Amino acid sequence: MNGKGQESGAGGDLTTDLSALDFAAVSPEEFARIVKSLSARQLGEVMHGDLRTRVLGEVFGRMRQQFRPEAAGDLTALIRWKITGESEEVYETAIAGGACAVTRGRSAGEPRTTLVMGDAEFLKLVSGNGNPVTMFMTRKLKVAGDVGLASGLTRYFDIPKA
């Protein structure tokens, strides 16, 4: 650990080490391993400023590629994601016609379900390192709207395994 309480890699603190990563070049499986190797506290510590923006942008940017249209069938739904932490970030996933579109920010559309969680919980969920049911039962994941849709969201995306 360094003086800030963060575990260090070979060259510095955790935030510096992760800031140097090109997240666009990190595979979903490698991302899942990175998330799995960090505690919730560490995940919260590194999710600040530019690094947080880059990580959230990359995760949501990959949702289109990770989408499984055959699993979604004729589903039409707007899912709003509220990621809390340093600040509240809102993204929306629109599923319709066998396609998935992701936008940053709140639209005028009415979401069928809204998911609210902190940075660490979000990273665990999208990397396959968190159990959504357990997160919901322990209030680390809050759901407004269609709870049934929220509980089945993972089947519509290829979730990496660490």
Side-chain angles (χ1 to χ4, degrees):
M1 298 258 183
N2 68 15
K4 296 178 186 171
Q6 295 174 326
E7 289 185 20
S8 297
D13 72 33
L14 185 59
T15 303
T16 302
D17 294 346
L18 291 177
S19 292
L21 272 180
D22 176 6
F23 284 99
V26 173
S27 72
E29 294 74 22
E30 186 178 354
F31 180 74
R33 283 191 298 276
I34 291 168
V35 171
K36 186 175 185 174
S37 73
L38 302 174
S39 69
R41 180 186 54 77
Q42 289 172 314
L43 290 170
E45 285 176 0
V46 300
M47 289 296 283
H48 292 283
D50 180 58
L51 181 57
R52 182 176 193 250
T53 301
R54 287 175 39 219
V55 169
L56 291 176
E58 192 61 39
V59 168
F60 281 104
R62 289 182 182 191
M63 280 190 177
R64 284 182 289 277
Q65 291 84 28
Q66 309 271 137
F67 181 64
R68 299 176 58 220
E70 70 284 354
D74 61 359
L75 174 68
T76 299
L78 177 65
I79 297 103
R80 183 169 291 151
W81 304 78
K82 289 184 185 178
I83 315 304
T84 61
E86 180 178 64
S87 63
E88 183 177 281
E89 287 289 333
V90 176
Y91 283 82
E92 292 183 340
T93 307
I95 298 172
C100 173
V102 179
T103 55
R104 184 175 181 189
R106 180 186 311 264
S107 70
E110 186 63 35
R112 188 159 150 192
T113 193
T114 299
L115 307 171
V116 182
M117 69 204 87
D119 290 323
E121 291 76 19
F122 173 74
L123 293 176
K124 287 180 179 184
L125 183 69
V126 300
S127 67
N129 288 300
N131 181 315
V133 174
T134 301
M135 294 168 82
F136 177 76
M137 298 301 286
T138 58
R139 309 273 302 145
K140 292 181 179 181
L141 166 63
K142 296 179 180 118
V143 178
D146 189 338
V147 176
L149 172 64
S151 69
L153 275 179
T154 55
R155 75 173 158 253
Y156 304 128
F157 298 90
D158 285 324
I159 307 291
K161 299 291 181 235

